[in-house]
PDB file of all heavy atoms in Angstrom:
ATOM      1  N   ALA A  34      -3.070  -0.345 -16.027  1.00  0.00           N
ATOM      2  CA  ALA A  34      -3.602  -1.648 -15.601  1.00  0.00           C
ATOM      3  C   ALA A  34      -2.700  -2.788 -16.061  1.00  0.00           C
ATOM      4  O   ALA A  34      -2.527  -3.784 -15.352  1.00  0.00           O
ATOM      5  CB  ALA A  34      -5.020  -1.833 -16.147  1.00  0.00           C
ATOM      6  N   ALA A  35      -2.083  -2.630 -17.220  1.00  0.00           N
ATOM      7  CA  ALA A  35      -1.234  -3.696 -17.757  1.00  0.00           C
ATOM      8  C   ALA A  35       0.127  -3.739 -17.072  1.00  0.00           C
ATOM      9  O   ALA A  35       0.706  -4.806 -16.882  1.00  0.00           O
ATOM     10  CB  ALA A  35      -1.050  -3.496 -19.259  1.00  0.00           C
ATOM     11  N   GLN A  36       0.634  -2.573 -16.680  1.00  0.00           N
ATOM     12  CA  GLN A  36       2.009  -2.511 -16.163  1.00  0.00           C
ATOM     13  C   GLN A  36       2.113  -2.576 -14.645  1.00  0.00           C
ATOM     14  O   GLN A  36       3.133  -3.025 -14.120  1.00  0.00           O
ATOM     15  CB  GLN A  36       2.657  -1.189 -16.580  1.00  0.00           C
ATOM     16  CG  GLN A  36       2.872  -1.015 -18.060  1.00  0.00           C
ATOM     17  CD  GLN A  36       3.357   0.406 -18.347  1.00  0.00           C
ATOM     18  OE1 GLN A  36       4.286   0.912 -17.725  1.00  0.00           O
ATOM     19  NE2 GLN A  36       2.702   1.070 -19.271  1.00  0.00           N
ATOM     20  N   ALA A  37       1.133  -2.076 -13.943  1.00  0.00           N
ATOM     21  CA  ALA A  37       1.275  -1.857 -12.499  1.00  0.00           C
ATOM     22  C   ALA A  37       1.518  -3.152 -11.743  1.00  0.00           C
ATOM     23  O   ALA A  37       0.892  -4.181 -12.019  1.00  0.00           O
ATOM     24  CB  ALA A  37       0.032  -1.158 -11.958  1.00  0.00           C
ATOM     25  N   GLN A  38       2.428  -3.079 -10.773  1.00  0.00           N
ATOM     26  CA  GLN A  38       2.731  -4.193  -9.881  1.00  0.00           C
ATOM     27  C   GLN A  38       2.400  -3.770  -8.449  1.00  0.00           C
ATOM     28  O   GLN A  38       2.425  -2.584  -8.123  1.00  0.00           O
ATOM     29  CB  GLN A  38       4.209  -4.557  -9.972  1.00  0.00           C
ATOM     30  CG  GLN A  38       4.672  -4.969 -11.375  1.00  0.00           C
ATOM     31  CD  GLN A  38       3.979  -6.237 -11.852  1.00  0.00           C
ATOM     32  OE1 GLN A  38       3.758  -7.167 -11.076  1.00  0.00           O
ATOM     33  NE2 GLN A  38       3.607  -6.264 -13.125  1.00  0.00           N
ATOM     34  N   PRO A  39       2.111  -4.739  -7.572  1.00  0.00           N
ATOM     35  CA  PRO A  39       1.766  -4.380  -6.189  1.00  0.00           C
ATOM     36  C   PRO A  39       2.875  -3.563  -5.514  1.00  0.00           C
ATOM     37  O   PRO A  39       4.044  -3.951  -5.559  1.00  0.00           O
ATOM     38  CB  PRO A  39       1.602  -5.741  -5.508  1.00  0.00           C
ATOM     39  CG  PRO A  39       1.275  -6.689  -6.616  1.00  0.00           C
ATOM     40  CD  PRO A  39       2.034  -6.187  -7.812  1.00  0.00           C
ATOM     41  N   GLY A  40       2.497  -2.460  -4.919  1.00  0.00           N
ATOM     42  CA  GLY A  40       3.453  -1.563  -4.263  1.00  0.00           C
ATOM     43  C   GLY A  40       3.659  -0.289  -5.062  1.00  0.00           C
ATOM     44  O   GLY A  40       4.059   0.730  -4.504  1.00  0.00           O
ATOM     45  N   GLN A  41       3.419  -0.336  -6.358  1.00  0.00           N
ATOM     46  CA  GLN A  41       3.594   0.870  -7.175  1.00  0.00           C
ATOM     47  C   GLN A  41       2.451   1.860  -6.939  1.00  0.00           C
ATOM     48  O   GLN A  41       1.392   1.501  -6.420  1.00  0.00           O
ATOM     49  CB  GLN A  41       3.676   0.491  -8.653  1.00  0.00           C
ATOM     50  CG  GLN A  41       4.968  -0.229  -9.010  1.00  0.00           C
ATOM     51  CD  GLN A  41       5.162  -0.309 -10.514  1.00  0.00           C
ATOM     52  OE1 GLN A  41       4.414  -0.990 -11.212  1.00  0.00           O
ATOM     53  NE2 GLN A  41       6.163   0.393 -11.013  1.00  0.00           N
ATOM     54  N   PHE A  42       2.675   3.085  -7.370  1.00  0.00           N
ATOM     55  CA  PHE A  42       1.695   4.143  -7.118  1.00  0.00           C
ATOM     56  C   PHE A  42       1.550   5.028  -8.340  1.00  0.00           C
ATOM     57  O   PHE A  42       2.330   4.930  -9.302  1.00  0.00           O
ATOM     58  CB  PHE A  42       2.104   4.969  -5.887  1.00  0.00           C
ATOM     59  CG  PHE A  42       3.399   5.716  -6.050  1.00  0.00           C
ATOM     60  CD1 PHE A  42       3.422   7.050  -6.428  1.00  0.00           C
ATOM     61  CD2 PHE A  42       4.624   5.082  -5.832  1.00  0.00           C
ATOM     62  CE1 PHE A  42       4.618   7.746  -6.592  1.00  0.00           C
ATOM     63  CE2 PHE A  42       5.825   5.761  -5.997  1.00  0.00           C
ATOM     64  CZ  PHE A  42       5.826   7.092  -6.366  1.00  0.00           C
ATOM     65  N   VAL A  43       0.540   5.866  -8.309  1.00  0.00           N
ATOM     66  CA  VAL A  43       0.385   6.907  -9.332  1.00  0.00           C
ATOM     67  C   VAL A  43       0.373   8.252  -8.619  1.00  0.00           C
ATOM     68  O   VAL A  43       0.082   8.338  -7.425  1.00  0.00           O
ATOM     69  CB  VAL A  43      -0.919   6.737 -10.162  1.00  0.00           C
ATOM     70  CG1 VAL A  43      -0.917   5.413 -10.897  1.00  0.00           C
ATOM     71  CG2 VAL A  43      -2.153   6.891  -9.298  1.00  0.00           C
ATOM     72  N   MET A  44       0.721   9.300  -9.355  1.00  0.00           N
ATOM     73  CA  MET A  44       0.576  10.669  -8.870  1.00  0.00           C
ATOM     74  C   MET A  44      -0.619  11.249  -9.597  1.00  0.00           C
ATOM     75  O   MET A  44      -0.612  11.359 -10.833  1.00  0.00           O
ATOM     76  CB  MET A  44       1.841  11.477  -9.164  1.00  0.00           C
ATOM     77  CG  MET A  44       3.093  11.005  -8.435  1.00  0.00           C
ATOM     78  SD  MET A  44       3.045  11.220  -6.637  1.00  0.00           S
ATOM     79  CE  MET A  44       3.228  12.993  -6.463  1.00  0.00           C
ATOM     80  N   ILE A  45      -1.626  11.635  -8.848  1.00  0.00           N
ATOM     81  CA  ILE A  45      -2.882  12.069  -9.469  1.00  0.00           C
ATOM     82  C   ILE A  45      -3.172  13.531  -9.127  1.00  0.00           C
ATOM     83  O   ILE A  45      -2.998  13.954  -7.970  1.00  0.00           O
ATOM     84  CB  ILE A  45      -4.047  11.138  -9.027  1.00  0.00           C
ATOM     85  CG1 ILE A  45      -5.336  11.498  -9.756  1.00  0.00           C
ATOM     86  CG2 ILE A  45      -4.243  11.141  -7.529  1.00  0.00           C
ATOM     87  CD1 ILE A  45      -6.410  10.425  -9.631  1.00  0.00           C
ATOM     88  N   SER A  46      -3.554  14.287 -10.127  1.00  0.00           N
ATOM     89  CA  SER A  46      -3.938  15.690  -9.890  1.00  0.00           C
ATOM     90  C   SER A  46      -5.291  15.720  -9.195  1.00  0.00           C
ATOM     91  O   SER A  46      -6.226  15.052  -9.628  1.00  0.00           O
ATOM     92  CB  SER A  46      -4.046  16.443 -11.214  1.00  0.00           C
ATOM     93  OG  SER A  46      -2.791  16.569 -11.809  1.00  0.00           O
TER      94      SER A  46
END
Side-chain angles (χ1 to χ4, degrees):
Q36 294 173 49
Q38 300 297 321
Q41 290 193 293
F42 64 97
V43 299
M44 295 293 287
I45 185 166
S46 293

